[in-house]
Amino acid sequence: MSFPPSQHRVEEVPLLTDRLGTRRSLTVHRFGTPGARPKVYIQAALHADETPGLLVAHHLIRRLRSATVSGEIIVVPMANPTGIAQIVEGVHVGRYALDGSGNFNRHFPDLIAGAAERLVGRIGPDPQANIQAVRAALRATFEALPAPDSEVAALRHTLMGMAFDADIVLDLHCDQESVPHLYAGDPLWPELADLAALLGVKAVLLSPDAGGKPFDEACSVPWWTLAARFAADGPIPAACVSTTIELRGKADVDDAQADADAQAILGALIRRGIVAGTPPDLPPPQCEATPLTGLARVVSPVSGVIAFHRAVGDRVEAGDLIADIVDPTAADPDQARTPLRTPGGGIIMARNNLRFVSRGELVASIAGPEPLNSGHSLLFD
Ligand SMILES: [Zn+2]
């Protein structure tokens, strides 16, 4: 395998904006050979208030500048300039668009139906030829999409346009308070097991299609959906290995940890021959993959102060007490507490980072092996 010298190019990609006097752009770092395969796409902070990925992207870029790349690696270190600017009374609002466009990580373009139409009669026995045909059909579908009609739609369109035909897509997020974890499609496991081990993730949540069109699934789900549709014609591999990486909690922003995470990602790319170097030894996995349907959500039926009894990373059984919700206004302090128990066992993957909740608000999530919530929309806004 030949490794051409890495080239580092930095582009400013202008973005559509909705308001006079506003200009935004995406900074895009490209390494390797334009158009070469494999193509890797990595972005951070699509949820703009999720800071750990920004620092991981910094270390990735720093290390890639001196690496030798076979193929092309695209890093968008700050994927959401619209969201990064959303400060309301001193609070960063980065998950939802203030213009009413919803969760920044939902509603990415759906290329499946358009690609399926274009693939009729074009799938045969050769899986590599089928990959080429699917990529061409996805591209033709993407290029035929109507022009985006808002700033947020245009941002989604621009990000998707760099990623939908990639071999590997890594979307760097974080949770509120959390152990590191991954979301991915069932067909991508155990392909992602090395990355999971290198990152030391403590939960891997698998789903065939969680719904809502988040970025990672908008890139990956077309592959196995089209594979099922054309199963009688020939094999279509899952040729876009796409995952959402949750880099712990919002406050877990640490230079040494971020560099270790960047090196874990580079290690996975070295193992695939995309970055030159000695493949790292794989540490023992910290978890088994579990179904997204096994995610137990502890939701508070009342408003009040969260008094947690368990920490992120703790192992719990169904029925264990996770927290009390305390109503300090109760006439009788002995009646002030509402105990919250987990409906399923597993590892406490994430906790709310606030300590006062509304009625109906999520308090903690527990990743476990037993399906609990199948039949419901799996991805929660
Ligand atoms: Zn996120």
Side-chain angles (χ1 to χ4, degrees), residues 160-307:
M160 182 86 176
M162 291 186 281
F164 73 83
D165 63 347
D167 299 83
I168 297 174
V169 173
L170 306 179
D171 195 11
L172 307 183
H173 287 247
C174 72
D175 210 306
Q176 297 188 350
E177 292 177 354
S178 167
V179 293
H181 57 282
L182 299 184
Y183 293 96
D186 293 288
L188 303 180
W189 194 260
E191 166 78 30
L192 284 163
D194 64 335
L195 178 65
L198 288 162
L199 285 166
V201 303
K202 299 230 171 13
V204 175
L205 298 140
L206 299 180
S207 162
D209 183 357
K213 299 285 178 290
F215 186 77
D216 73 316
E217 291 198 345
C219 295
S220 61
V221 167
W223 288 91
W224 48 89
T225 306
L226 294 167
R229 189 147 333 164
F230 292 96
D233 299 329
I236 299 176
C240 178
V241 177
S242 178
T243 179
T244 294
I245 303 176
E246 303 282 350
L247 296 161
R248 305 170 192 80
K250 287 188 176 183
D252 294 322
V253 181
D254 174 90
D255 230 6
Q257 181 64 66
D259 193 23
D261 290 339
Q263 289 184 68
I265 290 169
L266 284 175
L269 299 181
I270 291 169
R271 285 171 51 83
R272 286 163 179 75
I274 302 169
V275 172
T278 306
D281 292 333
L282 284 188
Q286 304 276 308
C287 66
E288 304 279 323
T290 54
L292 183 57
T293 53
L295 192 65
R297 289 164 51 84
V298 178
V299 171
S300 181
V302 296
S303 177
V305 179
I306 309 177

Side-chain angles (χ1 to χ4, degrees), residues 47 50 95 105 173-174 246:
H47 285 142
E50 298 178 359
R95 185 174 183 84
N105 190 23
H173 287 247
C174 72
E246 303 282 350

Side-chain angles (χ1 to χ4, degrees), residues 326-332 336:
V326 180
D327 173 4
T329 70
D332 177 358

